[in-house]
Amino acid sequence: MSKPTLYKSIFELPREEYLSPGHGLCAGCLVGTIVRVLLKVAGPNTIVVTPTGCLEVSTTPFPYTAWKVPWIHVAFENAAAVASGVEAAVKALQRKGLVDPSKKINVVAIGGDGGTVDIGFQALSGMLERGHRVMYVLYDNEAYMNTGIQRSGATPFKAWTTTTPVGKVLKGKLQPKKPIAEIVAAHKIPYVATANPAYIIDMANKFRKGLSVDGPSFIHVIQPCTTGWRFDPRYGIKIARLATETAMWINWELENNEVFRVTVPVPKRKHVKHYIRAQGRFNHLTDQDIEEIQRFIDKEVERINKMVGKEVIGPVVE
Amino acid sequence: MSFEKKLPSWKSIPIGGAILKPGNFAERPTGDWRVFRPIINQDKCLRCLICWAICPEPAIYIIDKPYRTSSGREWKFTLEIDYNYCKGCGLCVEECPVKAIDFVEEVK
Ligand SMILES: Cc1ncc(C[n+]2csc(CCOP(=O)(O)OP(=O)(O)O)c2C)c(N)n1
Ligand code: SF4
Ligand code: SF4
Ligand SMILES: [Mg+2]
């Protein structure tokens, strides 16, 4: 992996915007934040592929587009296959001299959780296995939001969605979240990371690293969704931060399938109740339910600390 | 800025439905979504850029316009909110480290 220069502060982020305002994402939708920062890092020589989902629908209702870089959408299930084709085409054009071979052109796919961990998974796995130089960014709002909050493989344990309802029998989702970033890591690609828009510089640097490798990279970004998670839009970043402070979301990276790092250590951890109680989708949870989730997270923290070889995530203190 | 209210007719759309102007969504304002208006107190603002970095639209811009605070501090740039686009989500109000952004109900 060639070492890219990393950002040290917000002041180093480019001022140029490659996503225009006017788009129809909900007020306070952090997809906007994630994509704006991503495009700042990637710059104008970037081709973006999106599957169907909130980002695609909200940024491109004909005859408008919010994209200031080339953008393509084909279907819900095939963003990674389309991105593979775009990357292969760029390579061929450069080989034939029709596009300047010295020009570095980024191919970035940006998909939702439904489009990535469920329906687009086969295309994604194929892209990773074939080794295309594509950075795949997953914005994870933990449900199919664009069609009205249906459960996905990424929906967390016990969360309410319209297809994991809360009633006398069912109380939210029965299964835990699919560990997609680790499933991607099992493909042994050059770079895999998890990121959080509440830690903007960490996120920007992961985009930078993902774009610098000579092969596929995958960045899994948590994206609190005001509409589906049921919270006042002004608290989006707070909730994102709480996810990491409680270790419900751990920011890590894996370079060359070798070097594993937790990039945002949490020496003093908060109890998961702070994260859970801030969101309406968990309104039905009892204190026992929350303790069950806490025990699950404690185990997860132990496992991650073991992988790092030291205590990067500390005990619960508040 | 003035905005075209009507959608273009099919006759004025390029063949193939190509969109010739990247980012032409800026022609559709979203400021009328707003219920509360964030107002940056330029005297209090520390120019930390947090609100600029997190704004999902973008509706907050760094403007190369010097500003002198009432206590005499000189700034080389100013942060300004474009109310044509600000949807009033309040993320900036919540995240500003020095509470320099007021959130005021829109009244007609
Ligand atoms: C093959 C197919 N099935 C279903 C749909 C309907 N559909 C459009 S967007 C969407 C949900 C997308 O969810 P996700 O990928 O998580 O993105 P989000 O909307 O949450 O951003 C669905 C089910 C579709 N467009 N194509
Ligand atoms: S439903 Fe959620 S993900 Fe979709 S635009 Fe609204 S806030 Fe964003
Ligand atoms: S977050 Fe507050 S202090 Fe920082 S630039 Fe914005 S208004 Fe100024
Ligand atoms: Mg989703």
Side-chain angles (χ1 to χ4, degrees), chain A residues 58-117:
Chain A
S58 309
T59 55
T60 59
F62 191 74
Y64 297 104
T65 178
W67 299 88
K68 295 188 192 175
V69 293
W71 172 91
I72 180 170
H73 160 74
V74 178
F76 189 22
E77 54 276 58
N78 62 6
V82 174
S84 302
V86 170
E87 186 256 5
V90 169
K91 244 177 157 171
L93 289 170
Q94 289 187 320
R95 193 172 52 233
K96 290 178 181 166
L98 296 167
V99 169
D100 178 2
S102 66
K103 193 165 167 175
K104 184 171 179 281
I105 296 171
N106 302 312
V107 182
V108 179
I110 317 174
D113 49 298
T116 305
V117 315

Side-chain angles (χ1 to χ4, degrees), chain A residues 25-26 29 54 141 145 223 225-227:
Chain A
L25 293 165
C26 297
C29 176
C54 279
N141 49 35
M145 292 307 176
Q223 181 248 313
C225 160
T226 164
T227 307

Side-chain angles (χ1 to χ4, degrees), chain B:
Chain B
M1 198 190 290
S2 68
F3 293 96
E4 184 64 54
K5 287 257 162 25
K6 272 202 333 242
L7 283 167
S9 86
W10 66 269
K11 285 180 203 147
S12 64
I13 286 170
I15 288 172
I19 298 170
L20 302 181
K21 202 171 146 211
N24 69 341
F25 222 151
E27 292 163 20
R28 310 293 296 177
T30 49
D32 55 358
W33 294 25
R34 207 167 48 244
V35 182
F36 284 87
R37 171 183 290 245
I39 300 170
I40 300 178
N41 180 329
Q42 296 295 350
D43 264 15
K44 263 199 204 169
C45 169
L46 293 178
R47 275 69 179 168
C48 72
L49 305 193
I50 287 176
C51 57
W52 167 80
I54 63 173
C55 179
E57 301 313 319
I60 302 185
Y61 295 89
I62 306 167
I63 313 285
D64 288 309
K65 192 166 90 180
Y67 184 85
R68 193 186 154 91
T69 68
S70 53
S71 58
R73 187 159 182 186
E74 305 273 358
W75 290 107
K76 287 203 179 71
F77 60 96
T78 310
L79 283 114
E80 282 185 9
I81 297 177
D82 187 339
Y83 295 108
N84 287 311
Y85 303 111
C86 169
K87 295 170 183 162
C89 69
L91 283 172
C92 56
V93 178
E94 203 54 43
E95 292 307 314
C96 174
V98 291
K99 298 264 166 273
I101 310 183
D102 296 322
F103 213 27
V104 184
E105 193 165 0
E106 293 279 357
V107 273
K108 271 253 157 70

